[in-house]
Amino acid sequence: EAGVTQFPSHSVIEKGQTVTLRCDPISGHDNLYWYRRVMGKEIKFLLHFVKESKQDESGMPNNRFLAERTGGTYSTLKVQPAELEDSGVYFCASSQRQGFNEKLFFGSGTQLSVL
Amino acid sequence: AQSVTQLGSHVSVSEGALVLLRCNYSSSVPPYLFWYVQYPNQGLQLLLKYTSAATLVKGINGFEAEFKKSETSFHLTKPSAHMSDAAEYFCAVNPRVGNTGKLIFGQGTTLQVKP
């Protein structure tokens, strides 16, 4: 069974450009989460999808970030326009059942560098 | 508000020595606690979790953690380190809001194992 897959693994862009990150969750997983780790800091929650609906987007930094999950399968996270402080590793995770002790399966992340 | 503090961003041990990675939490509700590990170029992988059952939790690869409410701690231990244990370890707490798998992470501890 394939795990959570994220594309690209690395992205280097200039300030002001647009970048789109993609996450393919494990097949059948309704829950999809986005997290971000800025260098030297902790991993922080960005948002949570249940199927195609945004359940919780309280962690989204600002309106330059747009997440979608059309059809409830893969998800994209677009940053437009990118700023220097957006650099970091963006993780995606998915799970089958929702709950406090649900097991999250993480992708290997996308390393985003904004120059 | 819930939070997690990992004491020591880097820990170095010799192969065969005891591994002790420290985690303290703050939570206004009985916590659900997790340890994740990230090996180089891979996603985060669940090591173990505490969900209010036994206070001593055994995980994969010989790791275990003990929940101590009086000390608000959930330290991760392994009796004998292997070279393959070199990785970054993350302690996390579920804030238990909205019955989701949303996690609050600590800053991470990089474990180095010396031959």
Side-chain angles (χ1 to χ4, degrees):
Chain A
E1 178 182 280
V4 177
T5 309
Q6 292 188 243
F7 302 100
S9 58
H10 293 81
S11 180
V12 181
I13 62 172
E14 294 191 353
K15 176 183 172 181
Q17 290 185 322
T18 297
V19 63
T20 300
L21 314 181
R22 172 169 169 150
C23 169
D24 287 71
I26 293 172
S27 178
H29 282 195
D30 289 340
N31 296 285
L32 187 149
Y33 298 81
W34 283 98
Y35 286 85
R36 176 176 74 168
R37 189 184 193 193
V38 172
M39 187 181 295
K41 300 287 185 67
E42 65 272 24
I43 300 170
K44 285 194 172 181
F45 167 83
L46 294 179
L47 86 159
H48 171 211
F49 283 100
V50 177
K51 297 184 180 179
E52 69 276 9
S53 300
K54 292 176 185 174
Q55 178 96 345
D56 179 356
E57 51 184 332
S58 61
M60 295 288 265
N62 51 60
N63 60 10
R64 296 185 293 103
F65 289 75
L66 175 64
E68 294 181 325
R69 193 183 182 196
T70 306
T73 54
Y74 71 90
S75 175
T76 58
L77 180 64
K78 181 190 287 187
V79 185
Q80 180 181 28
E83 299 289 345
L84 299 179
E85 64 265 24
D86 301 333
S87 296
V89 181
Y90 290 76
F91 292 102
C92 174
S94 71
S95 70
Q96 190 170 34
R97 289 193 190 87
Q98 186 170 323
F100 298 137
N101 65 345
E102 69 186 70
K103 182 176 180 180
L104 299 185
F105 294 83
F106 281 81
S108 54
T110 294
Q111 173 77 59
L112 175 63
S113 299
V114 183
L115 308 178
Chain B
Q2 288 81 4
S3 65
V4 175
T5 301
Q6 291 182 240
L7 299 176
S9 58
H10 288 83
V11 170
S12 181
V13 301
S14 297
E15 190 174 20
L18 170 72
V19 176
L20 171 60
L21 304 183
R22 299 177 187 273
C23 173
N24 288 86
Y25 69 90
S26 170
S27 178
S28 55
V29 297
Y32 281 20
L33 295 160
F34 304 79
W35 275 100
Y36 280 84
V37 59
Q38 185 182 22
Y39 299 104
N41 301 315
Q42 295 184 29
L44 280 72
Q45 179 182 357
L46 180 65
L47 268 179
L48 49 80
K49 62 181 178 182
Y50 167 76
T51 57
S52 74
T55 55
L56 182 61
V57 182
K58 295 187 184 298
I60 62 172
N61 301 337
F63 283 92
E64 62 182 36
E66 186 171 9
F67 171 70
K68 291 187 176 181
K69 183 178 179 180
S70 61
E71 299 178 7
T72 61
S73 68
F74 190 57
H75 302 330
L76 183 70
T77 60
K78 183 174 180 178
S80 177
H82 294 174
M83 297 296 293
S84 60
D85 294 327
E88 190 164 18
Y89 293 78
F90 297 91
C91 183
V93 64
N94 186 307
R96 300 184 67 181
V97 175
N99 192 33
T100 75
K102 177 180 177 180
L103 297 174
I104 296 172
F105 284 91
Q107 301 91 327
T109 298
T110 298
L111 176 66
Q112 179 187 25
V113 182
K114 299 176 291 185

